[in-house]
Amino acid sequence: TSNAGRERSGEAKEGAKSQVSFRVSRLTTRYSYFDNKKVSKMEARASREAQRGRCLTYVREAAQRASTKSELHKSQIETLLNEKEFCTNLFNLFDESSQGFLVQDDWISHLKNTCSTSDDHFGDDHDESRRDQEKLDLVELLEAVTYLVCQDNHVVPDTFYKIWSSRWVVTKLMRCIDKAGDDITTVEEFMSFVIVITNPLKRGVLNQENIAWLEQVFREN
């Protein structure tokens, strides 16, 4: 074989190696991109869950401090809703993406979904129907107050505080969670309602996975 032939053969081999190396590099880059994207999504989810856990813990502790032997009277819930820090933590439970604002239509739609009639009724059907209606009445009031306070603007922490501390809101809220109709509820019932209406998952339904996670959050905090 001539020198020229050997040189051409060597160049061909080097070219083939170069092509293989380039393809491997592209594949590695491609999979690295998807791996990083997956990790990024997992980190973002972990961050959201951590924020939710912190806010739920704050709301629970604030409710516990305000309560009398784990019972909450209407006046005590009203005091909570008039505390800016409490409302900020409540706002952050709705602001899942930490944008610093809530789009009015999206927020109201979320409330309507989480406060809609449950498919599964336990206990007295008449009592459940009454409270379902009370929830819808609360959402309608919040929608009206939100428009009065914000007009066409987004809901931000300051306006969120004004909405929840507005007159009649605590009355409507109390009717949603007060089973006996005596203006008294428990910290657990109050927290159950907060968890459901702020739940970012479909229809705000608490499935077994969500309940297990929430129990873990409270154990760790």
Side-chain angles (χ1 to χ4, degrees):
T1 307
S2 66
N3 288 338
R6 281 196 295 271
E7 286 176 4
R8 282 195 297 272
S9 176
E11 287 173 0
K13 287 179 181 177
E14 287 300 321
K17 285 181 182 178
S18 178
Q19 281 187 332
V20 169
S21 177
F22 176 69
R23 286 174 184 166
V24 169
S25 176
R26 282 188 64 185
L27 284 170
T28 303
T29 301
R30 182 181 176 187
Y31 285 115
S32 176
Y33 167 78
F34 285 116
D35 285 344
N36 288 338
K37 197 171 182 182
K38 186 176 180 181
V39 169
S40 180
K41 281 184 178 180
M42 290 173 66
E43 288 175 345
R45 182 182 175 185
S47 177
R48 287 195 301 269
E49 289 183 350
Q51 173 180 288
R52 182 167 174 80
R54 286 192 299 270
C55 292
L56 283 172
T57 299
Y58 177 89
V59 170
R60 184 185 185 85
E61 289 177 349
Q64 195 66 56
R65 285 194 302 271
S67 70
T68 305
K69 295 180 180 178
S70 294
E71 286 188 341
L72 283 168
H73 294 249
K74 178 182 173 182
S75 59
Q76 291 167 324
I77 293 179
E78 187 170 18
T79 299
L80 285 173
L81 294 176
N82 275 280
E83 291 179 5
K84 277 201 168 184
E85 191 171 358
F86 180 87
C87 283
T88 297
N89 278 273
L90 189 59
F91 173 88
N92 289 335
L93 286 170
F94 286 108
D95 184 20
E96 188 196 3
S97 302
S98 299
Q99 298 179 105
F101 65 85
L102 303 172
V103 177
Q104 265 194 70
D105 289 345
D106 293 347
W107 181 51
I108 297 300
S109 293
H110 171 86
L111 287 172
K112 286 177 179 177
N113 284 334
T114 56
C115 289
S116 63
T117 303
S118 173
D119 294 328
D120 297 312
H121 279 174
F122 298 95
D124 185 79
D125 286 342
H126 176 73
D127 186 55
E128 290 290 347
S129 297
R130 177 186 65 79
R131 276 188 288 158
D132 284 337
Q133 186 56 52
E134 297 291 2
K135 290 174 188 176
L136 294 176
D137 289 346
L138 172 64
V139 176
E140 286 180 6
L141 177 62
L142 288 171
E143 184 174 17
V145 174
T146 298
Y147 184 74
L148 286 173
V149 172
C150 303
Q151 295 296 304
D152 293 321
N153 300 313
H154 294 326
V155 180
V156 295
D158 280 346
T159 51
F160 185 88
Y161 165 73
K162 289 177 182 176
I163 292 163
W164 282 93
S165 59
S166 296
R167 189 182 181 189
W168 303 122
V169 168
V170 69
T171 301
K172 292 287 187 184
L173 173 61
M174 201 67 194
R175 287 176 182 169
C176 295
I177 54 180
D178 174 17
K179 291 181 178 179
D182 55 2
D183 281 344
I184 300 174
T185 189
T186 66
V187 171
E188 290 305 319
E189 287 170 346
F190 176 73
M191 286 306 301
S192 293
F193 185 74
V194 169
I195 289 167
V196 169
I197 66 168
T198 62
N199 197 326
L201 302 178
K202 185 180 178 182
R203 290 177 58 83
V205 173
L206 286 178
N207 57 34
Q208 286 301 116
E209 183 182 356
N210 298 335
I211 291 170
W213 173 75
L214 289 168
E215 287 175 349
Q216 181 184 344
V217 166
F218 288 131
R219 278 198 302 270
E220 291 175 352
N221 292 279

